[in-house]
Amino acid sequence: MSSHPWNTDFAWLRPSVAPRRLTETQIDQFHEQGFFVIENLIDAETVAAVTAELDEIEAEVDALLQGLPDERMFIAESGAITFSPHAVKQSPAAQAVSAHPAIADVCHDLLGPDVRLYWDQLVYKKPQKPREFPWHQDNGYTYVEPQQYLTIWLSLTDATVDAGCPWVAPGEHLGGTLAHDYVDPLGFQCFPDHPDKVAAPVGPGGAVVFSSLTPHKTGPNTTDGVRKTYILQYAPHGADVLEGDVTAAPTGRVRQDDPERQYPVVEGGVPVE
Ligand SMILES: O=C(O)CCC(=O)C(=O)O
């Protein structure tokens, strides 16, 4: 395990805010272990409404994949795993969930008073070609500064161990971004396994909340159903994506404030209605 070449002076930051929703135990677990599981973050009716709209988006992505050689593009493959980014641009229900008061409160309690949506994507794990998604940090894919942002892995189905729930490596977030290697066709990997790994199963409407720096993987889906997840990522206002080849210094920075999909969800300590 070695650091990403751009990660030279990382220090984990714990914002000082009066919590709006989370308990001290949840907040401590997040900062010390890098994750916690929260059940029933959004209600069943909201889950059903958003799933109906997201299923339509995913069906289009899957149809696109089916028309490609080997039915795959980069790490997505029909029958195995699909990724559908930026659902908030197409789905009013996804947009509402991205700024849901419970989720905005979690963002406030873990990131501080000014937070924007940074990224959203559906990840559907299909049972036809069960496969693991390898150990990685979200900041190992696209390098964001500050390195520390938040992933809310919102489950739309019952994410059991057999269905391919996340596993996390507790405490490994504290050193910042790790170097990753590409493992074809699975994705980027920071290590092949971890001795202290913990499974994080979660029910529909619940979430695994973890840092962009928390190494995680998901297991194969060996059930008969599709495991559906809506991943929502939030960053402090002012976050940038760093550009360039990782073997050299970054060549540019791009502010993450696209008004269509990177809007504020907490401003001045208050959730944006
Ligand atoms: O949901 C999954 O199976 C893996 C997705 C993931 O970890 C990611 O998109 O970073």
Side-chain angles (χ1 to χ4, degrees), residues 27 45-46 53 57 95 142 161 202 211:
I27 294 172
E45 204 180 318
T46 307
E53 291 188 13
I57 294 174
Q95 209 175 88
T142 298
V161 170
V202 62
S211 167

Side-chain angles (χ1 to χ4, degrees), residues 81 83 121 123 125 133 136 138 141 153 164 210 216-219 227 229 231 233:
I81 187 166
F83 301 84
Q121 66 180 12
V123 184
K125 256 200 162 179
F133 192 82
H136 68 284
D138 289 336
Y141 271 77
W153 195 95
F210 52 89
H216 59 284
K217 69 164 186 175
T218 59
R227 195 227 64 201
T229 311
I231 293 180
Q233 298 179 320

Side-chain angles (χ1 to χ4, degrees), residues 173-224:
H173 57 300
L174 296 170
T177 310
L178 297 167
H180 286 65
D181 294 318
Y182 184 61
V183 180
D184 191 48
L186 302 179
F188 285 95
Q189 175 174 279
C190 53
F191 42 71
D193 202 1
H194 196 280
D196 302 325
K197 62 180 179 278
V198 176
V202 62
V208 187
V209 177
F210 52 89
S211 167
S212 54
L213 299 173
T214 304
H216 59 284
K217 69 164 186 175
T218 59
N221 179 2
T222 57
T223 68
D224 298 336

